Amino acid sequence: MKKILFGIIALVASTAADAKTLVAYFSRSGNTELVANQIAAATGADTFRIETMDENFYPSDYTATTEQAKQEIADGTLPEIKPVPDMSEYDVVFIGSPVWWGCVATPVKTFLVQNAMTGKTVVPFNTHAGSGTGNVHTDINEMTAFATAHLDGIAIVGSDAPNSSETVNTWLKQIGQISE
């Protein structure tokens, strides 16, 4: 019995070690990118920055961007994004977004509509200005209903993003994505 148990543990450990991981994220201000890079550094994951086709799609002014985001959410607008990597290569996909009016950013919605995440483990993360998670993790999990698994996400205050690596590493250990 012990041999079987140790064999199963070894198989699970080797499968987790062999899993190829991607951190896909959208970042307007750079805060979500900082957290994405911390996740990638700790896990050895590839990164993919979700970008709109038009580099000037969002205004440089924060307030103007929030108004545009509010309108996109109300209208169901999905902005066109640049091509994504071959998702068939990945087993685990971290998906990062700022909180926009309590929701996932619309470029991330476009990414999720184009990539169902069937058979993948999905891990949401977000940055915010004080609102917490909002519906971001729920939005991501609902849009990836065919994923094999959904792990608990994390929300980081944007101003804390530059110094959040310890918090991120603790979370990654808790969800089993890095070892103790």
Side-chain angles (χ1 to χ4, degrees):
M1 183 65 168
K2 285 184 180 179
K3 285 183 180 181
I4 293 172
L5 181 58
F6 286 123
I8 291 171
I9 291 170
L11 176 62
V12 169
S14 73
T15 302
D18 296 338
K20 189 155 182 194
T21 303
L22 176 69
V23 180
Y25 66 94
F26 173 77
S27 187
R28 184 194 165 277
S29 68
N31 293 329
T32 307
E33 182 171 38
L34 287 171
V35 176
N37 288 334
Q38 291 167 6
I39 294 167
T43 62
D46 295 340
T47 59
F48 172 69
R49 183 180 176 116
I50 300 167
E51 298 178 278
T52 57
M53 288 298 281
D54 177 0
E55 293 176 12
N56 299 313
F57 189 77
Y58 292 106
S60 59
D61 178 71
Y62 175 79
T63 302
T65 297
T66 63
E67 291 305 313
Q68 181 174 334
K70 185 177 185 179
Q71 192 63 49
E72 288 173 4
I73 292 165
D75 295 344
T77 300
L78 295 177
E80 188 177 1
I81 62 171
K82 292 183 179 179
V84 302
D86 180 1
M87 296 303 293
S88 68
E89 295 182 19
Y90 299 100
D91 305 299
V92 177
V93 182
F94 287 83
I95 301 170
S97 176
V99 176
W100 280 8
W101 296 97
C103 303
V104 68
T106 53
V108 176
K109 284 185 181 182
T110 302
F111 174 80
L112 294 173
V113 166
Q114 293 176 359
N115 301 280
M117 302 297 154
T118 302
K120 303 192 183 314
T121 297
V122 171
V123 191
F125 68 98
N126 71 281
T127 56
H128 61 91
S131 63
T133 302
N135 291 322
V136 172
H137 299 181
T138 302
D139 291 346
I140 290 170
N141 290 345
E142 287 177 356
M143 294 185 76
T144 59
F146 296 108
T148 300
H150 292 96
L151 301 184
D152 290 338
I154 191 170
I156 302 285
V157 175
S159 60
D160 293 342
N163 303 308
S164 64
S165 60
E166 187 175 321
T167 301
V168 168
N169 287 342
T170 298
W171 164 66
L172 291 169
K173 288 173 189 172
Q174 289 172 344
I175 63 170
Q177 293 303 296
I178 61 173
S179 56
E180 295 292 322

